[in-house]
Amino acid sequence: MSSNHSPSEAHDVEMRFLGDDLALNFINTAYGVGKGARECLRTDADVLNWLGRAELPAQASGIKRGELVRQALELRQIALELVEKRATGKAGNPQGLNRLLEAGSRYSQLVWPRSGPPALATHERLGGVEGLLLPVAQAVADLLSGTDFRYVRRCEGPECTLWFLDRTKAHSRRWCSPALCGNRAKVAAFRDRSRTA
């Protein structure tokens, strides 16, 4: 069966783009703990919706139903394990990520607009599921190899599982979002001070 999913088939789970990095935003498509746990990628349509919101190519045709979400969940698990290993200074096994990266077939073309200087554009010859997920896999590889991991953090909120890249000037970010977990922490600290007063 081909995949021509309509947006209405996507589940209505809040997708949080708080990671300040494509790879971390992809990992964050599953978040929360216990009754607050949320899964953003349940169907192929959910994956296409996320890709579109991440401003990545999100056109699927000729893909067996369920294959996109299956491979996306597999890539997310691989990415999460590698980021956790890197964050703790341990060696990870990149075999699963490399398998997807090997599927790529990049080529460059010179783009020269009527006004302005020419620029080099990189394209992929890959279609199907691999073509859709390859930019995410590349973002994971770039994060793991080219980012100072002192600034890759998990939110300090006790019920939060979201990851982010601290791009603040002082590198003092502690929360996925000041409005979400940051506010909860302030309210909890205020309650604790009120009880002891």
Side-chain angles (χ1 to χ4, degrees):
M1 188 188 301
S2 290
S3 173
N4 288 327
H5 301 293
S6 67
S8 63
E9 291 182 51
H11 290 84
D12 190 24
V13 175
E14 182 184 354
M15 293 184 183
R16 297 184 172 175
F17 289 82
L18 302 171
D20 285 327
D21 179 87
L22 176 64
L24 296 175
N25 284 333
F26 184 67
I27 289 170
N28 290 342
T29 56
Y31 61 90
V33 294
K35 291 182 181 181
R38 299 290 180 265
E39 173 58 73
C40 298
L41 307 179
R42 293 182 178 181
T43 67
D44 292 342
D46 292 335
V47 178
L48 293 171
N49 182 26
W50 185 89
L51 290 169
R53 293 203 41 212
E55 299 179 359
L56 295 173
Q59 298 295 320
S61 61
I63 296 174
K64 184 178 173 186
R65 188 179 191 97
E67 189 62 18
L68 179 58
V69 70
R70 184 189 69 74
Q71 288 195 36
L73 293 175
E74 184 179 310
L75 175 58
R76 185 180 68 194
Q77 185 60 38
I78 290 167
L80 176 60
E81 289 171 8
L82 292 173
V83 165
E84 287 175 338
K85 292 281 189 185
R86 180 84 165 80
T88 59
K90 296 177 183 171
N93 182 352
Q95 184 178 0
L97 183 63
N98 285 339
R99 191 171 40 251
L100 183 54
L101 292 172
E102 287 171 4
S105 177
R106 286 188 178 196
Y107 65 97
S108 298
Q109 288 187 322
L110 189 65
V111 179
W112 205 322
R114 291 187 184 267
S115 61
L120 199 57
T122 304
H123 302 279
E124 292 288 341
R125 281 196 178 93
L126 197 58
V129 173
E130 291 83 5
L132 290 168
L133 295 179
L134 188 61
V136 178
Q138 187 62 55
V140 172
D142 291 344
L143 174 75
L144 292 166
S145 65
T147 302
D148 186 339
F149 254 70
R150 291 179 296 173
Y151 308 123
V152 174
R153 302 189 180 125
R154 191 180 292 227
C155 179
E156 291 183 18
E159 299 291 312
C160 190
T161 61
L162 296 178
W163 287 84
F164 61 87
L165 177 58
D166 183 359
R167 296 183 188 267
T168 62
K169 194 171 186 177
H171 298 295
S172 58
R173 183 175 168 189
R174 300 173 56 200
W175 318 108
C176 62
S177 165
L180 295 172
C181 291
N183 190 49
R184 287 186 198 120
K186 288 178 186 173
V187 169
F190 176 77
R191 276 194 219 127
D192 288 345
R193 284 193 304 273
S194 298
R195 284 186 202 132
T196 58

